[in-house]
Amino acid sequence: MTNRVRKAIFPVAGLGTRLLPATKSIPKEMITVVDRPLIQYAVDEAREAGIEQLIFITGRGKSSLVDYFDSAFELEEKMRGKGKSLEVLDSSRAGYGELISVRQQEPLGLGHAVWCARDIIGDEPFAVILPDDLMVGKPGALKQMVDVWENVGGNLIAGEEVAADMTGSYGIVTPGKQDGAVTEVRGLIEKPAPDVAPSRLAVIGRYILQPEVMAALGTVGRGAGGEIQLTDALAAMIGKQPFNALNVDAQRHDCGDRAGFVIANIVLALDRPDVGGKVRDFIAGLSPRP
Ligand code: UTP
């Protein structure tokens, strides 16, 4: 058994109904923020954290996600012929053996999607990255988690304080001891109404998990919304293994949601030397709403 996190699961088989009609034929992870699809940001973050194997859990209509990380022979030949640099394509290519895709045949929930990778994970700790949560931080969110996990071990989830009226959209932590940005997880509940939520500490889309979580996923059955919930399997690990939440030092954009996507585009564009100036000038020229 290794104590390095080498493998990351990217569950990308969801239907993305909040982004219809675009997601009728484009996976939400292929929608662009500035000039790169959402999945590229997640993969870059994983690589920065030392991940060597990217495991995509895909479903119907999601093959463009795997194609995106392939080499594009004709395109590259044509670009070479025209003397154009191929550097722009570098990060969109997976190395040999770096990318594995597994099919989730029915969208039975995030927990089920993760469970689909059980044979590839084997007995190693692993990361889970939800690409919809675009995290902007230096170092990246997963790298921050790996650094902390090397000390605390066990299961480590990324947490964020959310507004009181938002608890119903997240898994919420019952907090224990706190040590700086690390909070012990004493309990976990999926999407509690604000009046019964044990805190405002929400689970966001980054996890480092022990392989035993896979066995728990195999037994939890369907939970909230009739789906197999990752939160339920994680709750079953409490008391058996160290379990903590890390408040990562990064800005999160929820790109599973229309407004989040638009905001991510604006924020990331403003930060880009090639387009930031134009976008800033345009925003500065907008008249205030009457
Ligand atoms: P979401 O809850 O955002 O669901 O899934 P969704 O289907 O993607 O989007 P909406 O709510 O219909 O708009 C959280 C993550 O879990 C993955 C999604 O792809 C996303 O990364 N997921 C969800 C699966 O891979 N399989 C599932 O069965 C459900």
Side-chain angles (χ1 to χ4, degrees):
M1 180 154 160
T2 163
N3 60 357
R4 267 191 59 219
V5 187
R6 299 186 312 123
K7 302 180 178 185
I9 301 176
F10 298 77
V12 289
L15 299 176
T17 54
R18 284 170 294 158
L19 294 175
L20 281 169
T23 46
K24 192 176 162 193
S25 67
I26 309 169
K28 73 175 157 187
E29 300 81 7
M30 287 304 293
I31 300 177
T32 52
V33 174
V34 188
D35 55 1
R36 299 173 333 144
L38 200 47
I39 188 71
Q40 176 81 69
Y41 294 91
V43 163
D44 288 350
E45 187 187 321
R47 285 170 166 159
E48 181 204 0
I51 298 295
E52 294 164 9
Q53 203 168 63
L54 314 165
I55 305 162
F56 285 12
I57 313 298
T58 67
R60 281 170 68 79
K62 298 279 184 161
S63 44
S64 59
L65 277 156
V66 180
D67 292 345
Y68 175 78
F69 287 97
D70 214 343
S71 58
F73 179 75
E74 282 185 0
L75 173 68
E76 290 172 19
E77 278 303 292
K78 286 205 174 120
M79 286 174 71
R80 262 188 218 104
K82 290 185 175 175
K84 293 197 172 183
S85 162
L86 298 185
E87 205 184 315
V88 68
L89 296 174
D90 280 353
S91 55
S92 69
R93 242 186 258 111
Y96 290 109
E98 191 189 8
L99 176 61
I100 294 179
S101 101
V102 179
R103 195 90 168 181
Q104 183 189 25
Q105 275 158 334
E106 271 182 275
L108 296 179
L110 172 60
H112 180 257
V114 170
W115 181 77
C116 288
R118 64 198 178 284
D119 290 337
I120 302 167
I121 294 301
D123 63 357
E124 292 191 28
F126 60 98
V128 177
I129 298 188
L130 307 190
D132 322 24
D133 272 344
L134 199 173
M135 304 293 290
V136 182
K138 270 198 175 73
L142 192 65
K143 170 79 176 118
Q144 294 178 34
M145 291 179 73
V146 166
D147 289 346
V148 169
W149 179 84
E150 281 169 356
N151 290 319
V152 298
N155 296 299
L156 181 68
I157 57 181
E160 182 184 293
E161 291 282 325
V162 295
D165 61 351
M166 290 302 291
T167 57
S169 302
Y170 295 89
I172 299 289
V173 169
T174 303
K177 288 193 307 272
Q178 197 168 344
D179 181 7
V182 178
T183 304
E184 182 197 357
V185 176
R186 293 235 171 109
L188 265 181
I189 172 166
E190 185 64 21
K191 301 188 170 66
D195 53 332
V196 293
S199 75
R200 293 197 287 115
L201 184 57
V203 182
I204 57 170
R206 300 290 182 276
Y207 310 73
I208 296 178
L209 303 177
Q210 294 298 320
E212 289 79 7
V213 171
M214 289 294 186
L217 278 169
T219 58
V220 283
R222 297 189 186 210
E227 295 191 333
I228 297 177
Q229 297 286 354
L230 182 57
T231 310
D232 294 343
L234 295 181
M237 305 314 293
I238 291 168
K240 297 184 183 156
Q241 297 175 326
F243 200 153
N244 293 287
L246 174 69
N247 219 320
V248 288
D249 183 14
Q251 192 179 24
R252 181 173 68 97
H253 300 289
D254 178 5
C255 292
D257 166 84
R258 292 181 170 88
F261 236 121
V262 175
I263 293 167
N265 265 288
I266 295 170
V267 173
L268 272 77
L270 286 173
D271 215 31
R272 284 267 301 249
D274 52 347
V275 294
K278 268 194 182 169
V279 176
R280 183 166 289 107
D281 290 349
F282 176 77
I283 293 172
L286 290 176
S287 357
R289 248 188 359 187

